Amino acid sequence: MERTFLMVKPDGVQRGLIGEVITRFERRGFKMVASRFERLPDARVMEHYAEHVQKPFFPGLKAYITSGPCFLMVWEGKDIVKISRDMIGATNPAGAAPGTIRGDYALEIGMNVIHGSDSVETANREIAIHFKPEELVSYTRIDEQYLYE
Ligand code: DAT
Ligand code: MG
């Protein structure tokens, strides 16, 4: 079963959207297998955003992502990487479709509420950056027999 790394960013935490985000993924049928509430240490920010460190927007991105606590999660389910990206919406909320998290709750690219891994490879990399293998909990949800045929 596929897993992905999702994180409610500091704006989402401050605006009280942790529950809304969790509810959307729970209702879709996905299963949370790990979570942590914390302010991201600088070293982990650099690792997580390695592909963006050299970009002009990185200083602002780093200041934003460390400006307050984040809610980090690992979720599991069939095709979750692609489906969660679809549920999150476009990087720039101005172009994010209504019904997506960014399309419903955000206005600007630098305050876009949530992070989600963009490929299975990225998901595995990001999960390993933020969680130890023993922090991921394997269990069966009682509704799985009515989610998977
Ligand atoms: P996503 O979060 O949709 O995967 P990304 O990986 O390209 O997008 O970028 C990571 C974050 O960096 C993104 O959520 C917001 C910020 N960002 C990306 N491009 C930006 C830009 N051109 N200006 C300002 N912030 C940007
Ligand atoms: Mg990305």
Side-chain angles (χ1 to χ4, degrees), residues 58 72 88 94 120:
F58 184 72
L72 293 71
I88 288 168
V120 172

Side-chain angles (χ1 to χ4, degrees), residues 2 28 35-36 60 72 76 91 128 130 132-133 148:
E2 205 168 278
R28 187 69 190 257
S35 72
R36 191 187 313 115
L72 293 71
E76 183 180 290
T91 303
H130 297 284
K132 297 177 198 145
Y148 295 102

Side-chain angles (χ1 to χ4, degrees), residues 35-56:
S35 72
R36 191 187 313 115
F37 184 68
E38 65 175 359
R39 197 184 288 256
L40 291 184
D42 283 8
R44 211 148 11 100
V45 173
M46 309 301 277
E47 217 181 333
H48 176 88
Y49 282 126
E51 63 171 321
H52 298 307
V53 193
Q54 303 301 333
K55 298 192 181 153

Side-chain angles (χ1 to χ4, degrees), residues 54-122:
Q54 303 301 333
K55 298 192 181 153
F57 62 80
F58 184 72
L61 173 60
K62 184 162 176 278
Y64 154 70
I65 211 74
T66 57
S67 67
C70 294
F71 190 67
L72 293 71
M73 299 165 279
V74 179
W75 285 78
E76 183 180 290
K78 189 176 181 195
D79 296 326
I80 190 167
V81 172
K82 185 200 177 291
I83 294 173
S84 59
R85 289 286 293 192
D86 289 345
M87 291 169 68
I88 288 168
T91 303
N92 189 340
T100 65
I101 295 169
R102 288 169 176 165
D104 287 348
Y105 295 109
L107 294 168
E108 295 206 301
I109 193 165
M111 299 271 174
N112 62 8
V113 175
I114 181 170
H115 168 85
S117 311
D118 63 8
S119 70
V120 172
E121 191 188 6
T122 307

